[in-house]
Amino acid sequence: MVGNTFVVEKTCPICEKTMRVVKTRSRIMVVSRDEDACTHYANFNPYLYTVWVCEHCGFAADEATFTTKIPDRHLGILRNILLTRCIRVPFVEERTVGNAATAFRLALKFQEILKGKASKSAKYAHQLAWVYREAGDTVQEAEFMNKAAEFYEAALAKEHFPIGELTDNAVIYLIAAIYYRLGEKQKATSYLSRLISDKSVRERERRIFDKARDLWGEIRAERKK
Ligand SMILES: [Zn+2]
């Protein structure tokens, strides 16, 4: 729905041309939230617009990447790839699932080329899974849920937390929730038990502890059926 978005012009950090991006309004009504934090909104899916794509050179990434200084080494690599080719991704104001998937896949590709942080790739893969979920494409949803879990696991092993507001315990919960939704109850349970058995989580991150305990209870109840 066009009323939920507006178009702004930005300068692409790679080709330095003026590009258009779609931003979403912050006041959209939340309908429900899934275990893995996927939020459903009334008649609108903001995840379609997470990844910005330059309509001239094809660079794709989230807003934070576009608006934070890109390290010179990365600029060199990206310009080498993008300014010598002609990747045409036309600007669209109202994205389809296909447009969004192209944007996320490009962003994941650039992450791979730059050996970017696993936590960022996890976010892209997870949100692309949500786009497929909303569209009812369960096969592609599962593919990207699996990728998201693997990227989150790599982030846990290699990165320093918190990353923004994301703590390591929040990531452990997300991995558990992803495996739960994928039907991998055993994997989900093993991640949840790490949270439930940790006294410091109960004391310091009560919200995550409660969510972990609830999901654990849900899995146990399903086993008894
Ligand atoms: Zn560009």
Side-chain angles (χ1 to χ4, degrees):
M1 216 192 276
V2 170
N4 290 316
T5 61
F6 56 101
V7 178
V8 291
E9 290 189 342
K10 297 278 171 186
T11 303
C12 172
I14 311 304
C15 68
E16 295 175 327
K17 289 181 184 157
T18 302
M19 55 178 268
R20 288 166 291 174
V21 298
V22 174
K23 304 243 304 176
T24 58
R25 296 189 195 284
S26 50
R27 284 190 308 158
I28 37 180
M29 208 173 72
V30 173
V31 174
S32 64
R33 210 167 258 130
D34 299 335
E35 301 85 353
D36 65 340
C38 174
T39 308
H40 301 273
Y41 300 89
N43 307 314
F44 181 66
N45 183 2
Y47 304 125
L48 294 173
Y49 302 97
T50 302
V51 174
W52 292 7
V53 183
C54 173
E55 59 195 294
H56 307 291
C57 71
F59 181 56
D62 61 5
E63 177 171 357
T65 307
F66 264 93
T67 54
T68 315
K69 192 186 166 347
I70 295 177
D72 288 339
R73 199 175 56 83
H74 287 180
L75 273 182
I77 296 169
L78 291 168
R79 284 187 177 141
N80 246 330
I81 295 167
L82 291 172
L83 304 186
T84 54
R85 286 189 185 89
C86 222
I87 304 177
R88 285 249 168 255
V89 185
F91 173 77
V92 274
E93 193 170 341
E94 205 170 340
R95 280 187 179 170
T96 60
V97 168
N99 297 141
T102 300
F104 277 111
R105 284 167 192 268
L106 277 171
L108 281 164
K109 191 79 207 157
F110 293 126
Q111 276 286 101
E112 197 183 311
I113 291 167
L114 297 175
K115 299 184 178 65
K117 288 220 159 85
S119 55
K120 192 185 274 185
S121 299
K123 191 186 89 172
Y124 292 150
H126 201 181
Q127 293 198 3
L128 177 53
W130 294 346
V131 166
Y132 285 128
R133 182 179 305 168
E134 192 78 47
D137 185 337
T138 50
V139 174
Q140 303 217 63
E141 180 195 340
E143 182 189 335
F144 283 92
M145 287 283 273
N146 271 306
K147 282 193 208 282
E150 283 164 23
F151 283 129
Y152 280 129
E153 283 166 337
L156 265 189
K158 281 186 263 173
E159 294 176 37
H160 289 288
F161 287 88
I163 297 168
E165 288 180 1
L166 198 66
T167 65
D168 49 353
N169 290 322
V171 170
I172 293 171
Y173 175 78
L174 275 179
I175 298 170
I178 288 172
Y179 283 130
Y180 168 75
R181 290 197 62 103
L182 285 169
E184 300 207 39
K185 306 283 164 66
Q186 209 144 20
K187 280 190 182 170
T189 308
S190 92
Y191 277 99
L192 291 173
S193 67
R194 281 168 67 175
L195 298 172
I196 296 169
S197 62
D198 187 339
K199 212 171 118 223
S200 72
V201 179
R202 191 173 60 215
E203 282 164 5
R204 279 193 289 245
E205 291 182 89
R206 188 75 213 191
R207 209 177 56 88
I208 289 170
F209 179 84
D210 288 345
K211 284 202 300 185
R213 202 196 39 202
D214 290 350
L215 194 53
W216 173 280
E218 193 126 335
I219 292 171
R220 283 185 61 111
E222 281 171 19
R223 269 205 203 121
K224 283 189 191 132
K225 269 180 210 160

